Amino acid sequence: MINHLPDRLDLYAAAEAGRALRGPVKLASLVRVLPQLESREGELEVSLELGRDEDGTHYLAGSVQGRLALRCQRCLEPMDYPLDVTFRLGLVHSQEQMQRLSNRYEPLLITGEPASLAEVISDEVLLALPIVPLHSGVSTCRPPATDDQTPASSRRENPFSVLAQLKQKP
Ligand SMILES: [Zn+2]
């Protein structure tokens, strides 16, 4: 077990060699995840195991754990989100290989270049996030009461209602 994650790794070679790695990954390095987060401070704990199964499939199995700060879409306040994802990815070189992949794995298309681990981890974290983050069991979680304070004159017309009117005309 190597207690350090490199930025890039030749996944296929690492699977051939049966390597296992783990280490912290800074949230700030997960660029595609950042727009979903209230805070970029902190780290996730990542552990990866690479190998070849009995069918000869090269795989990357792993887990990502940590805490994320998301924005609740009801009260618009930050919410603490415990992340605990596990995944099993089958390494494939082509679409054809992807079709043949056992359904025990999600496909991960690899190129000849070493893969960015931050990219692989970002994909798994994004898949694990709730589509609409909402507090649960928090009594102060209520929609902010802004609508009532908006003067009627400043409300913009809903573009869809305009469209509906147009459609109704003969
Ligand atoms: Zn809330």
Side-chain angles (χ1 to χ4, degrees), residues 72-79 133-135 138 140-142:
C72 169
Q73 294 304 301
R74 191 187 294 121
C75 65
L76 304 180
E77 295 293 325
M79 60 177 265
L134 292 172
H135 282 118
V138 176
T140 54
C141 177
R142 292 197 190 92

